[in-house]
Amino acid sequence: MNPHTAAKTVVQKRIRSAERELLDLSHRIHAHPEQAFEEVRASGWVAERLSAAGFDVEHGCYGLPTAVRATVGSGPLHVALCAEYDALPEIGHACGHNIIAAAAVGAGIGLAALADDLGLTVTVLGTPAEEGGGGKVLMLDRGAFDGVDAAMMVHPAAAETDAMPGTAVSQFDIGYRGTPAHAGAYPERGVNAADAMTVAQVAIGLLRQQTTSTDRIQGIVTEAGSAANVIPESSRGRWIVRSDTLEALTPLKARVTRCFEAGALATGCELTVSPVGPDYADLRPDPTLLALYRANAETLGRTFHDGATAGAATDMGNVSHAVPTIHPMLGLDCAPAVNHQREFTAACVTPTADRAVLDGAIAMAWTAADLAAARDRG
């Protein structure tokens, strides 16, 4: 057995030997869902597990109390493994971030003892608030990925794909302020904030006729009055705009903003637009890393499906513009359940999900080892 193959065998055995701890981590995070920037328990459990594995751990870094940085090794090739752990409102871990966190920790554990022998510096980054808060963007801007040669993470989905076609996305809160009045006796004295939101929604509906097939405009109204006999003084909503690239996103955002301005103009309300976190860039997977990962995953018996649904977004996209990055999807064979459904929440703690944790960890660790070997040969 050649040294590289032997090293990969050791990595796999170390991950397999940590199976109980990794699956316990995945299930605990799943059972205690925490939303963006509130992942106190999840980030703490990730930090504890990495500290026990010999990593130098900082919990609460880059100005984010629930961010984690754990490093081992001092080799010239620096690989970052990203662990997400935030959940969605009401439906919990319906995007499977418990699997992402456990797989990243597992890959780190697998590489820890051999990092220096392989010529690696391995950093596991606990990245909060992927579901809208842009934790990775904030960490990127604050230096978390400085000096990193490759960044990796895995993400569960209904089907196995090597590259998610991640779009650029912007999320923002909309608010209208009007004037209340008795809706029956003095309606003419009111300025209707709910009407302003309705006008904007109609304008957006018409705008969709002139957008591209991959553009997406989505929103919810979170407030639109409290009594039917009172002209609504305020209305609020949260909206998301998506496009293929950041360059295409900018003009689309401007057009959508004008729809909200139309609501204010038509009714006389005051409008406020407040960004919810930074914009997410489109995801640009690195082809070399992707080929290595796919070969390793297939060696483990995973079967890839060509094509993937467009429209999803991730703050890993911003990382991919700065560092060679991959973000493959681990199929859970849970169709018809898909991400962001309660049925997918349940699928993320099944035996298939547990296998995805271990396979994802091994495939990423093997990819880091392959990358180090290629660097040595080059």
Side-chain angles (χ1 to χ4, degrees), residues 183-195:
Y186 307 105
E188 73 281 0
R189 299 189 184 182
V191 177
N192 196 316
D195 285 355

Side-chain angles (χ1 to χ4, degrees), residues 143-371:
F145 293 88
D146 289 356
V148 169
D149 297 296
M152 293 185 278
M153 62 173 284
V154 289
H155 196 301
E160 195 96 6
T161 55
D162 58 6
M164 182 186 80
T167 59
V169 64
S170 182
Q171 188 171 180
F172 44 87
D173 286 334
I174 294 296
Y176 288 108
R177 176 65 62 178
T179 303
H182 193 292
Y186 307 105
E188 73 281 0
R189 299 189 184 182
V191 177
N192 196 316
D195 285 355
M197 189 70 77
T198 300
V199 170
Q201 289 178 290
V202 171
I204 289 169
L206 295 172
L207 172 62
R208 288 191 178 103
Q209 299 175 91
Q210 283 81 47
T211 59
T212 71
S213 61
T214 53
D215 288 339
R216 299 286 188 271
I217 308 167
Q218 303 128 353
I220 59 169
V221 177
T222 57
E223 177 189 341
S226 56
N229 62 346
V230 178
I231 299 294
E233 179 181 18
S234 64
S235 64
R236 297 186 179 279
R238 176 162 291 187
W239 291 79
I240 298 174
V241 178
R242 306 175 191 266
S243 198
D244 281 340
T245 64
L246 280 174
E247 293 75 16
L249 182 66
T250 299
L252 181 61
K253 281 174 58 180
R255 297 173 76 187
V256 172
T257 299
R258 287 196 292 272
C259 293
F260 289 109
E261 292 170 349
L265 180 64
T267 59
C269 288
E270 296 179 5
L271 167 68
T272 57
V273 181
S274 306
V276 179
D279 289 352
Y280 288 9
D282 46 299
L283 183 66
R284 299 178 179 176
D286 180 79
T288 300
L289 275 177
L290 208 57
L292 292 173
Y293 173 88
R294 180 162 179 157
N296 285 318
E298 288 175 338
T299 297
L300 292 168
R302 303 198 71 85
T303 302
F304 288 82
H305 300 271
D306 293 330
T309 302
T314 171
D315 54 3
M316 196 69 162
N318 300 66
V319 177
S320 75
H321 286 238
V323 176
T325 296
I326 56 170
H327 184 285
M329 311 298 280
L330 294 164
L332 301 189
D333 298 324
C334 57
V338 295
N339 299 63
H340 292 204
Q341 293 184 327
R342 285 186 173 84
E343 293 82 1
F344 196 83
T345 306
C348 288
V349 282
T350 60
T352 302
D354 292 346
R355 180 195 165 194
V357 169
L358 300 174
D359 286 353
I362 294 166
M364 283 196 293
W366 279 357
T367 300
D370 288 343
L371 199 62

Side-chain angles (χ1 to χ4, degrees), residues 9-198:
T9 300
V10 171
V11 165
Q12 183 177 23
K13 287 180 177 178
R14 285 180 58 83
I15 294 170
R16 293 290 183 191
S17 68
E19 176 177 345
R20 181 185 228 174
E21 292 84 358
L22 295 174
L23 298 185
D24 175 69
L25 176 63
S26 174
H27 286 227
R28 272 193 292 163
I29 292 173
H30 187 277
H32 299 90
E34 299 166 302
Q35 294 177 35
F37 299 117
E38 298 174 358
E39 315 95 330
V40 176
R41 287 177 294 193
S43 62
W45 293 331
V46 166
E48 288 170 6
R49 176 46 49 201
L50 291 167
S51 179
F55 282 74
D56 181 14
V57 178
E58 184 179 0
H59 184 197
C61 44
Y62 307 107
L64 302 173
T66 56
V68 175
R69 180 182 182 89
T71 301
V72 70
S74 56
L77 183 68
H78 191 174
V79 174
L81 305 162
C82 293
E84 297 174 1
Y85 30 62
D86 60 318
L88 289 156
E90 298 183 6
I91 55 177
H93 279 289
C95 216
H97 291 191
N98 58 300
I99 295 172
I100 299 171
V105 170
I109 289 173
L111 292 167
L114 296 176
D116 285 325
D117 293 339
L118 293 170
L120 288 171
T121 297
V122 179
T123 297
V124 180
L125 291 172
T127 62
E130 188 276 335
E131 298 287 359
K136 291 186 199 65
V137 185
L138 300 176
M139 293 173 71
L140 176 68
D141 291 344
R142 296 168 188 179
F145 293 88
D146 289 356
V148 169
D149 297 296
M152 293 185 278
M153 62 173 284
V154 289
H155 196 301
E160 195 96 6
T161 55
D162 58 6
M164 182 186 80
T167 59
V169 64
S170 182
Q171 188 171 180
F172 44 87
D173 286 334
I174 294 296
Y176 288 108
R177 176 65 62 178
T179 303
H182 193 292
Y186 307 105
E188 73 281 0
R189 299 189 184 182
V191 177
N192 196 316
D195 285 355
M197 189 70 77
T198 300

